[in-house]
Each structure stands twice: as C-alpha cells, then as structure tokens.
Amino acid sequence: MSGGGSHLKDEGSKEQVVIAGAVAGLISRFCIAPLDVLKIRLQLQTDPLPRRKFRRNEHGIAPSGTVYTFKRILHDEGVTAFWKGNVPAELLYISYGAVQFSTYRMTNRLLQSLSLPNSLDTFLSGASAGAAATSLTYPLDLLRTRFAAQGCDRVYMNFRSSVVDIAHTEGFRGFFQGLLPAVGQVVPYMGLFFSIYEVLRPPLASLSLPLGSGDAAAGILSGMLAKSGVFPLDLIRKRLQVQGPMRARYAGGSIPVYSGVWATGQAIVSKEGWRGLYRGLGISLVKSAPASAVTMWTYEHALKLLRFTEAEKL
C-alpha cells in the first residue's frame, strides 16, 4: 500500500492519480465483466417475484433466477457473451476511474481551506467524484448496458453502429436516459464508499492479509456496505437505459415502457413487489467485493509504482 495508511488525498501528483485511476478501472472491469452482465440480465427480468422460480414464455415454462440465467447465457450465447459490451465498458472504466480519483483528490484539497470535519470532507469529496465521473461517462454506461442486455438477437452490430443508431432514432437525449437515478445513486454511494474506506484503511493497513495490505479488505467492505443502500436506484437506471424503439428486442423481450424515476419505481413495486427493486442485489454484492478490492488495490499499487519511477528519475 502506498503511504502505509496515509489518506488518498495526500498521495501522488495529479498526473499520477489520473493514470493510476485509469489503470485500476481497466483491470477491474475485465475481471468482473461476467458478473456485470449477469447482474444486468437479472435486473431486466420483470416477472412477478412470487412466481420467479417458474416463468412462462414462448417456449413454455422455464425457471428463472441467477443460476438459470447464467446457464441460459452460457448455453444460448456462449462464454464470450459474459464480456458483451466490453469495448464501451473498458472505455467507461478507464475514463471513470481517471475522473473519479482526480476529482476526489482535487475536491478534497479545495475543501481543506474550509476546515471541515474529516468525515464530512471525505464524504463531500467522494460524492463529488462520483457525480462528476458518472455524468461525464454516462453515454458509455448506457451503451455498456444495452450491449449486455442483447441476447441472441443482436440489436447493435458494433460500437460505432450503436452510436449512430441511437443518435438517429433517439437523438442526443437518448444517450442520457436514466442519468438522474444514476447521479442520485452514485452521489451517496461514492460518498459512503470513500468515507468508509478512509475509516477502515488505516487500521487494516497493519494487518498481514493476502495481496500484501489491507487495501483490498477495506475496498471490499466499503463497496458492499455502500452498494446495499443505493441498489434500487441502480435497478431503475438499468430499466430506463434500455427504453427506446429497440426495447422489445433485448433478452427477455418483456421490458415495459417506463418514464421518470418515481413512476418507474412505482410501476416496479406495483407489478413485482418491493423485492422487485432488489433484483440482482446478491450478484451485485458478489461483484462489488472483487470490483472494489481490485480497483483500490490496483490503484494503490499503480500509484506506488508511478511514484517510485518518478523518484528514480530524480
């Protein structure tokens, strides 16, 4: 771990933070891509939950749920399907990681002049980092979701065609469907994540854990706790992201027409019950653990390597 338990705001130059954040996002995305695709497919299932074990479709009665969804993707689409949308996703994670960590560092340093309590300082910096990164990279997030939602019927042939098609049929606003719940989700999520991480990181740093430090453990706990609190907004965002003229062609083919965050939430609760807002939470928590751990561990070690390389030049 860089700095032996020091805070993120105190580490590295601006350029080093951007590079380390981008590297962390790139590696994290590739590692957790299959879980991400599985989570998105689960979030887009709309059958009432009391009957979720057996869902009727054009092929008769078929079971649903995490295990069944995994098997169907593997059987119908092959193992490469678990990396669908990897091009926009990699671009998303690289740019998101770079913006997130650089904004966090910049905001934290600006807030130091206000002499705020450290916990509030960290929360505001984390929330600002999440809001900035989400807003600037949102079109890539939408494209990632739409590619992951494609079944055997390929709605978009490639990255370029998806951009052209959305621009032509939905206009500029089409790239930002679901942005409001995304920002509404990420502000408290990132604020909670960084706040919890900064609290857990120093005491865990001295422990002898796998990978050489407590960064991974702090990242795991921070990600899981923060994710649980904002998950309904993540599900609503996914439902809104696949709205548009191609809605019926995505895997499942039964996604209703939604409009607005509150109305979407009400429609989901009315048809699927309150549990419908938490579809895919289990796999999301399983995903958040390695994603947060890989991101923070990679960021810390990439930053340490960059600082070491810079010191060697002096």
Side-chain angles (χ1 to χ4, degrees):
M1 182 185 77
S2 46
S6 59
H7 292 288
L8 288 173
K9 62 186 176 185
D10 302 321
E11 300 179 357
S13 66
K14 182 179 178 180
E15 292 75 17
Q16 289 171 341
V17 167
V18 170
I19 295 172
V23 172
L26 176 67
I27 295 177
S28 174
R29 164 60 202 179
F30 185 81
C31 293
I32 56 90
L35 294 174
D36 201 34
V37 170
L38 183 58
K39 186 202 73 152
I40 290 173
R41 295 290 182 92
L42 289 169
Q43 289 180 310
L44 297 180
Q45 293 177 357
T46 60
D47 52 307
L49 276 168
R51 300 166 52 206
R52 76 184 190 281
K53 290 185 178 180
F54 294 99
R55 180 180 62 188
R56 185 176 297 277
N57 56 31
E58 67 271 19
H59 302 297
I61 295 178
S64 61
T66 304
V67 176
Y68 172 74
T69 302
F70 175 83
K71 290 181 177 179
R72 290 308 304 176
I73 294 173
L74 188 62
H75 179 270
D76 295 344
E77 306 167 49
V79 69
T80 57
F82 291 104
W83 277 267
K84 281 188 174 180
N86 202 49
V87 172
E90 290 288 8
L91 293 174
L92 167 65
Y93 275 62
I94 292 173
S95 53
Y96 191 101
V99 174
Q100 171 185 299
F101 285 106
S102 58
T103 303
Y104 178 84
R105 177 178 179 275
M106 178 183 68
T107 305
N108 213 316
R109 291 190 171 184
L110 288 174
L111 291 175
Q112 286 181 350
S113 62
L114 301 179
S115 300
L116 298 173
N118 189 64
S119 58
L120 179 59
D121 186 312
T122 302
F123 182 90
L124 292 175
S125 299
S128 299
T134 297
S135 300
L136 292 174
T137 63
Y138 192 78
L140 292 171
D141 182 47
L142 182 138
L143 291 173
R144 180 271 305 266
T145 297
R146 292 197 178 188
F147 274 106
Q150 291 185 149
C152 296
D153 181 12
R154 296 185 64 181
V155 180
Y156 304 115
M157 298 305 296
N158 51 51
F159 181 79
R160 181 180 179 278
S161 68
S162 68
V163 173
V164 172
D165 187 84
I166 293 173
H168 177 71
T169 60
E170 303 174 50
F172 180 77
R173 294 179 60 186
F175 291 102
F176 292 91
Q177 294 200 59
L179 177 61
L180 183 59
V183 175
Q185 168 204 353
V186 79
V187 170
Y189 173 79
M190 293 310 303
L192 287 170
F193 176 82
F194 278 107
S195 295
I196 297 170
Y197 182 75
E198 293 283 19
V199 170
L200 295 177
R201 183 181 174 224
L204 291 176
S206 60
L207 299 180
S208 178
L209 298 173
L211 304 181
S213 75
D215 294 327
I220 288 173
L221 294 173
S222 303
M224 294 183 72
L225 291 172
K227 175 70 71 176
S228 298
V230 299
F231 190 78
L233 286 172
D234 183 63
L235 183 137
I236 290 173
R237 170 172 59 123
K238 291 297 186 290
R239 299 281 180 97
L240 290 173
Q241 284 181 327
V242 294
Q243 296 298 299
M246 301 298 184
R247 188 186 72 257
R249 293 181 58 187
Y250 294 110
S254 59
I255 301 169
V257 176
Y258 296 118
S259 178
V261 179
W262 181 253
T264 301
Q266 286 183 313
I268 293 171
V269 171
S270 177
K271 180 182 178 183
E272 307 166 42
W274 287 101
R275 290 167 58 204
L277 293 172
Y278 292 89
R279 288 179 184 269
L281 175 60
I283 201 70
S284 181
L285 292 178
V286 170
K287 185 192 84 165
S288 72
S292 298
V294 171
T295 297
M296 300 311 297
W297 185 87
T298 305
Y299 172 78
E300 296 285 354
H301 285 73
L303 186 58
K304 182 178 180 180
L305 178 61
L306 289 169
R307 294 175 69 190
F308 176 79
T309 304
E310 182 68 22
E312 287 291 301
K313 294 179 180 179
L314 299 179

